[in-house]
Amino acid sequence: MADNESWAPASLAAQALGWTDEAAHGLIPPIHVSTTYLREANYQLAGGFNYTRIDNPTYGQPEALLARLEGGEAAMLFASGLAAASTVFLALKPGDHVIAPKVMYYGLQQWLRLHAVEWGLAVEFVDAAATEAVAAAIRPGRTRLVWLETPSNPMWEVSDIAAFAELAHRAGARLAVDSTVGAATITHPIALGADLVMHSATKYLNGHSDVLAGALVTSVEDELWERIGFLRVHQGAVLGPIEAWLLLRGMRTLPLRVERACRSAQQIAERFAADPRVAAVLYPGLASHPQHQVALRQMQGGFGGMLSLRVRGGEAAALAVAARVRLWKRATSMGGVESLIEHRASVEVGATTPRDLLRLSTGLEDPADLIADLDQALGS
């Protein structure tokens, strides 16, 4: 193990904490694909590992790296972002009151509306960009969890994490933050008072559109964290060792990828902010964004690689733009090296996303090429 206490985040990520293969002295850590592990003659575990559904040596390094980047005590990997997020809610008890944003990742919102309610949770959806709305919704003594997603998908509203942490803690509740867009490099919810941080690690943490994964980070290893760990094991919501290894490889370039995506997204947002063919550009890095000042306080080094365009002419015009792009790829997801464009309302069946909205995930291509492609797609 390396002495990495003084290393900057970019160094921690590039060297994956500096850990190497102590058994064979390889520079790159191995993948432990075994599902089961040997016991001694006295039936004690020879190496401390029992069964991969419980734990696997390949998890340790990416979990430790993510915990360090987020400033938390511990991290857990999951089979997907939805598995990570839903486990937090399942660790609560029937009858608990929870608060969630009206604008958030569609898959989790659907899960909350269907399964969380069946589980017995009292789920209340609020305008999470308005501190007063969350304050009014909190029920002291009954609210157990406030869930935020910031910036929120696909409108990219920004919630004041520090303000909501204070509100939640005053009422005896915990604050959990989906910081997938914050990418563990530009937003640090735990430093702002959050108790839990969730990532769809499929997105920026992996960054190559080839791993399905989720992660949770905790500020303290308490009783709730123990219940989350119990559920991960007993629901089988674990990540495969090959995926864990690929995730670690992706995280080595995380700061560089996020920095480039943020810079390109800012250029794209500024280029089309006053374009007459675009009704609105939704991006926290623009001074015109309603929560720009909040974003300035709690995002460092950029405002994320995600933005949305609302195209003049409504749904038909938006779909026509998406059909004409050449460099941008029409696909769901975000955070990969390739830039993606999506007509979000076509994917979120029954959701309230504006029909004229195109969601953009800015990748690592030359921003001039990305701008030129959008320019020709918007037409005259």
Side-chain angles (χ1 to χ4, degrees):
M1 305 297 178
D3 180 11
N4 56 34
E5 291 300 317
S6 64
W7 292 2
S11 298
L12 290 169
Q15 294 221 359
L17 297 175
W19 296 10
T20 55
D21 175 10
E22 294 185 345
H25 302 286
L27 178 64
I28 302 302
I31 307 173
H32 296 271
V33 296
S34 181
T35 57
T36 191
Y37 299 86
L38 293 170
R39 291 179 178 269
E40 303 285 8
N42 62 3
Y43 230 70
Q44 297 301 303
L45 291 167
F49 292 93
N50 179 7
Y51 192 69
T52 282
R53 182 167 53 81
I54 299 169
D55 200 5
N56 181 290
T58 319
Y59 301 161
Q61 195 166 356
E63 287 181 339
L65 175 57
L66 181 57
R68 279 291 298 275
L69 292 176
E70 284 288 12
E73 274 196 9
M76 286 187 211
L77 299 181
F78 288 79
S80 68
L82 187 56
S86 60
T87 300
V88 175
F89 291 93
L90 290 172
L92 303 175
K93 298 177 181 178
D96 285 348
H97 177 248
V98 300
I99 294 170
K102 289 181 179 178
V103 178
M104 64 185 298
Y105 167 54
Y106 180 68
L108 180 58
Q109 186 180 82
Q110 289 294 93
W111 187 91
L112 289 172
R113 292 187 185 278
L114 298 173
H115 302 292
V117 172
E118 290 179 353
W119 171 242
L121 297 180
V123 183
E124 187 169 350
F125 294 94
V126 302
D127 178 2
T131 306
E132 61 275 13
V134 176
I138 287 179
R139 305 176 193 175
R142 191 179 170 205
T143 301
R144 298 302 179 198
L145 182 72
V146 176
W147 182 275
L148 296 180
E149 179 183 314
T150 183
S152 63
N153 180 16
M155 306 299 285
W156 315 120
E157 295 172 334
V158 180
S159 298
D160 190 329
I161 296 171
F164 290 163
E166 183 179 351
L167 287 171
H169 295 160
R170 192 186 308 155
R174 290 178 173 87
L175 177 68
V177 178
D178 179 344
S179 192
T180 297
V181 177
T185 59
I186 56 176
T187 305
H188 298 98
I190 288 175
L192 296 168
D195 301 286
L196 292 167
V197 180
M198 194 284 289
H199 287 275
S200 174
T202 307
K203 313 302 193 297
Y204 285 98
L205 298 189
N206 174 59
H208 291 80
S209 303
D210 56 9
V211 169
L212 189 68
L216 293 173
V217 184
T218 185
S219 64
V220 59
E221 296 185 75
D222 58 6
E223 187 245 346
L224 177 64
W225 188 248
E226 291 180 5
R227 290 205 302 274
I228 290 170
F230 176 89
L231 286 168
R232 180 178 71 160
V233 170
H234 291 277
Q235 292 188 128
V238 296
L239 191 63
I242 294 174
E243 288 78 9
W245 187 90
L246 286 170
L247 175 61
L248 179 66
R249 185 180 68 171
M251 289 173 66
R252 287 176 180 266
T253 59
L254 177 66
L256 290 173
R257 290 187 286 101
V258 172
E259 180 184 4
R260 174 60 177 265
C262 289
R263 189 165 64 246
S264 295
Q266 184 76 39
Q267 292 180 41
I268 294 166
E270 291 175 354
R271 164 61 181 82
F272 293 103
D275 194 300
R277 300 166 295 179
V278 176
V281 176
L282 310 179
Y283 186 66
L286 293 177
S288 58
H289 188 279
Q291 295 90 40
H292 179 63
Q293 292 303 314
V294 178
L296 281 173
R297 290 200 306 272
Q298 69 183 32
M299 302 180 82
Q300 294 84 40
F303 299 95
M306 299 300 301
L307 70 156
S308 294
L309 305 182
R310 298 190 64 177
V311 181
R312 289 197 189 279
E315 180 177 9
L319 285 168
V321 171
R324 287 193 292 262
V325 293
R326 299 163 184 161
L327 179 59
W328 296 79
K329 296 293 184 285
R330 291 180 294 277
T332 294
S333 201
M334 65 177 78
V337 297
E338 58 287 307
S339 292
L340 305 180
I341 187 168
E342 180 181 61
H343 183 247
R344 193 66 187 157
S346 293
V347 177
E348 296 181 342
V349 179
T352 58
T353 298
R355 308 296 299 186
D356 61 359
L357 182 142
L358 294 174
R359 189 184 78 170
L360 308 180
S361 173
T362 307
L364 305 188
E365 303 90 345
D366 191 301
D369 289 337
L370 294 171
I371 289 170
D373 192 31
L374 285 174
D375 187 43
Q376 67 81 24
L378 283 163
S380 57

